[in-house]
Amino acid sequence: QVQLVESGGGLVQHGGSLRLSCAASGRIFSINRVGWYRQAPGKQRELVAGLSSSGSTNYADSVKGRFTISRDNTKNTVYLQMNSLKAEDTAVYYCNADIQIRSFTAAVLYWGQGTQVTVSS
């Protein structure tokens, strides 16, 4: 079974930085697109950043220039570097990934359990 486990969340002051990690484990043939999402209390889950297997990225307008998504394929790990954090970045952050567990099979979307990021003003 495939699992995604996020880490790196916590409490940080306004203007500070955090780096989130998302490690995939289990039977993995390949990881295609990966992404980070967040959900603040009372709000819908929203895309923060996405990264394709070819290296193309996309970001929410609210985080452009402050957040950077990256991946280490040798470790099956995705990162989200968050700089210049603001109170409005406070949310539970989730990673997801399109993962093939065998060749010639369709990729399945997996989600992590989430990690809390709290930015104090």
Side-chain angles (χ1 to χ4, degrees), residues 98-119:
D98 286 319
I99 295 176
Q100 277 183 284
I101 62 171
R102 284 188 295 275
S103 59
F104 305 110
T105 60
V108 174
L109 183 64
Y110 291 88
W111 287 87
Q113 82 289 350
T115 185
Q116 176 71 46
V117 171
T118 303
V119 184

Side-chain angles (χ1 to χ4, degrees), residues 20-94:
L20 305 182
S21 299
C22 173
S25 62
R27 181 172 182 167
I28 297 171
F29 174 73
S30 68
I31 301 178
N32 302 324
R33 187 188 180 281
V34 295
W36 285 96
Y37 288 72
R38 67 186 180 188
Q39 187 167 18
K43 295 188 177 181
Q44 289 189 334
R45 190 173 297 189
E46 63 175 358
L47 173 69
V48 176
L51 173 60
S52 73
S53 56
S54 64
S56 298
T57 59
N58 61 296
Y59 295 92
D61 288 343
S62 60
V63 307
K64 282 180 182 176
R66 299 188 298 123
F67 290 11
T68 303
I69 187 171
S70 62
R71 63 196 290 173
D72 184 339
N73 292 329
T74 65
K75 298 180 179 179
N76 287 337
T77 300
V78 184
Y79 303 99
L80 185 67
Q81 178 67 43
M82 306 186 294
N83 299 326
S84 303
L85 283 161
K86 307 174 182 180
E88 50 263 44
D89 294 319
T90 294
V92 178
Y93 283 71
Y94 301 89

